């Protein structure tokens, strides 16, 4: 009992030392100076640079003093047992061709070579696609519709090819009233009669993996695109079309008659 008690006491003491070293206590608020929370999250981007994959991890608590902390990934790798992460500001990343893309890996936070915390994760279940781009909206007057197209680098990839895209659009003056549409292709038609006439719209797209094997998170949003709807609703513009057609016919007849 006493040995166990002493052991627990020592563990507690050591934990406090680690916590103190991490600089948490330096903000002077000793009530908050408990154990640092070293939980972290990671996402992968496959074939992001030719055949190279990217894995990025960051602490969930942005205030963690990461000065002496390192990240390491083991298992689920080709040829090597473990790889070290590089660090850029508060993000740890690794760019490599050596992910097996089958089974779990273990990712650990290390301080002075010792593991502080580890997580098992499967890289293919944490895919964050690259943001779509080149969102274009073309008005097809004869069909009274808008054709929305966009591009994604995933069309050119071997692994994560199937994505679900979320297209959202809103009237620019109705700031938070987004309409949502999910599609798996990169083309969408919006009916003119479902939109307000003579209004400015904003539209953007993001993507998420859509297969059983590759899973993960939403991409960042694509850059926004803007389009304006014509002034008249379809009936009026139909009328307008008829009138202008009639006028043109009359004009042509008139011109022909004058030539004679
Ligand atoms: C972070 O920790 C290092 C040593 O581990 C220390 O030198 C540095 O001052 C700390 N930074 C902050 C902002 O607490
Ligand atoms: C990873 O970093 C550790 C130091 O934390 C070093 O001992 C080890 O050799 C490195 N491994 C690789 C594969 O670079
Ligand atoms: C999509 O972008 C790629 C470059 O990333 C380009 O090669 C391709 O032609 C584009 N596709 C379309 C339909 O614009
Ligand atoms: C689109 O798909 C996402 C993810 O599956 C889902 O959360 C969302 O509710 C869907 N939205 C619509 C409008 O169907
Ligand atoms: C809209 O309709 C009005 C008449 O209803 C017409 O004067 C105007 O030119 C039309 N505008 C467009 C953009 O078609």
């Amino acid at each position: 009992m006493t040995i166990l008690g002493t052991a627990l006491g020592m563990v507690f003491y050591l934990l406090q030392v680690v916590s103190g070293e991490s600089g948490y206590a330096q903000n002077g608020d000793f009530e908050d100076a408990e154990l640092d929370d070293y939980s972290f999250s990671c996402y992968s981007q496959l074939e992001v640079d030719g055949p190279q994959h990217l894995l990025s991890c960051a602490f969930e608590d942005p205030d963690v003093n990461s000065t002496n902390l390192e990240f390491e990934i083991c298992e689920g790798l080709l040829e090597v047992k473990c790889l070290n992460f590089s660090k850029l500001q508060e993000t740890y990343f690794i760019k490599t061709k050596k992910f097996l893309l089958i089974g779990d890996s273990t990712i650990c936070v290390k301080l002075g070579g010792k593991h502080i915390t580890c997580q098992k994760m499967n890289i293919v279940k944490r895919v964050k696609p690259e943001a779509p781009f080149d969102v274009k909206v073309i008005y097809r007057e004869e069909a009274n519709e808008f054709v929305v197209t966009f591009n994604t680098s995933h069309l050119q990839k071997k692994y994560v090819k199937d994505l679900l895209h979320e297209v959202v659009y809103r009237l620019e003056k109705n700031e938070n009233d987004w309409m949502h549409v999910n599609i798996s292709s990169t083309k969408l038609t919006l009916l003119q009669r479902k939109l307000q006439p003579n209004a400015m719209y904003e539209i953007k797209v993001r993507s998420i993996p859509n297969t059983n094997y590759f899973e993960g998170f939403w991409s960042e949003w694509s850059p926004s695109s803007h389009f304006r709807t014509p002034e008249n609703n379809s009936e009026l513009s139909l009328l307008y079309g008829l009138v202008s057609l009639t006028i043109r016919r009359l004009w042509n007849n008139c011109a022909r008659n004058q030539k004679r």
Side-chain angles (χ1 to χ4, degrees):
M1 227 25 221
T2 29
I3 292 172
L4 184 61
T6 315
L8 280 178
M10 275 184 68
V11 167
F12 194 66
Y13 172 72
L14 284 174
L15 288 180
Q16 278 184 323
V17 168
V18 170
S19 153
E21 267 182 6
S22 73
Y24 209 125
Q26 288 177 356
N27 62 12
D29 190 352
F30 284 93
E31 302 215 322
D32 276 349
E34 298 162 10
L35 257 186
D36 267 341
D37 182 7
Y38 289 116
S39 52
F40 59 92
S41 55
C42 304
Y43 65 83
S44 59
Q45 300 195 294
L46 306 186
E47 300 172 272
V48 78
D49 181 4
Q52 302 220 79
H53 313 303
L54 183 68
L55 180 65
S56 309
C57 299
F59 290 109
E60 259 145 37
D61 177 359
D63 293 333
V64 166
N65 180 347
S66 62
T67 307
N68 292 325
L69 299 176
E70 294 169 276
F71 273 70
E72 172 189 78
I73 177 170
C74 298
E75 296 150 42
L77 301 172
L78 290 161
E79 296 160 21
V80 291
K81 177 142 175 36
C82 298
L83 288 170
N84 290 332
F85 283 63
S86 310
K87 189 178 181 189
L88 185 66
Q89 280 150 8
E90 298 307 310
T91 305
Y92 292 82
F93 68 93
I94 187 164
K95 204 178 198 187
T96 180
K97 288 188 242 184
K98 294 192 171 146
F99 294 146
L100 196 52
L101 304 181
I102 300 171
D104 284 339
S105 299
T106 305
I107 297 177
C108 293
V109 178
K110 295 192 302 181
L111 175 63
K114 291 203 181 64
H115 291 171
I116 300 183
T117 179
C118 294
Q119 271 185 46
K120 250 192 188 336
M121 63 177 72
N122 191 336
I123 287 170
V124 300
K125 303 295 181 197
R126 295 184 168 255
V127 176
K128 177 176 167 177
E130 290 164 63
F133 57 94
D134 216 3
V135 182
K136 288 193 190 120
V137 182
I138 293 164
Y139 179 47
R140 292 183 54 213
E141 191 174 6
E142 64 285 7
N144 291 312
E145 65 188 19
F146 293 87
V147 179
V148 180
T149 56
F150 51 90
N151 201 343
T152 161
S153 57
H154 290 261
L155 289 173
Q156 265 104 40
K157 292 186 199 286
K158 254 190 340 215
Y159 296 116
V160 190
K161 273 192 293 210
D162 295 323
L163 300 175
L164 183 72
H165 307 288
E166 182 183 36
V167 180
V168 301
Y169 57 96
R170 67 174 179 189
L171 261 177
E172 259 188 359
K173 56 179 194 246
N174 280 14
E175 295 223 328
N176 285 312
D177 220 359
W178 290 103
M179 308 287 285
H180 302 251
V181 188
N182 283 342
I183 51 169
S184 52
S185 70
T186 57
K187 185 172 169 188
L188 170 73
T189 316
L190 300 176
L191 297 178
Q192 186 180 353
R193 65 184 157 82
K194 298 262 173 89
L195 302 172
Q196 291 205 4
N198 192 23
M200 195 63 145
Y201 277 85
E202 176 183 0
I203 186 164
K204 59 184 181 177
V205 191
R206 62 177 180 170
S207 315
I208 198 167
N210 193 28
T211 59
N212 289 330
Y213 195 70
F214 296 104
E215 295 171 12
F217 312 108
W218 285 111
S219 71
E220 300 296 317
W221 288 104
S222 70
S224 280
S225 187
H226 303 262
F227 65 98
R228 178 174 276 288
T229 54
E231 227 163 80
N232 293 317
N233 63 30
S234 51
E235 278 157 46
L236 277 180
S237 68
L238 194 66
L239 190 66
Y240 176 73
L242 277 177
V243 168
S244 66
L245 189 69
T246 315
I247 290 175
R248 224 180 303 147
R249 286 252 170 93
L250 286 175
W251 177 256
N252 285 346
N253 278 347
C254 209
R256 232 178 289 147
N257 287 343
Q258 276 191 346
K259 272 189 190 160
R260 281 182 193 162

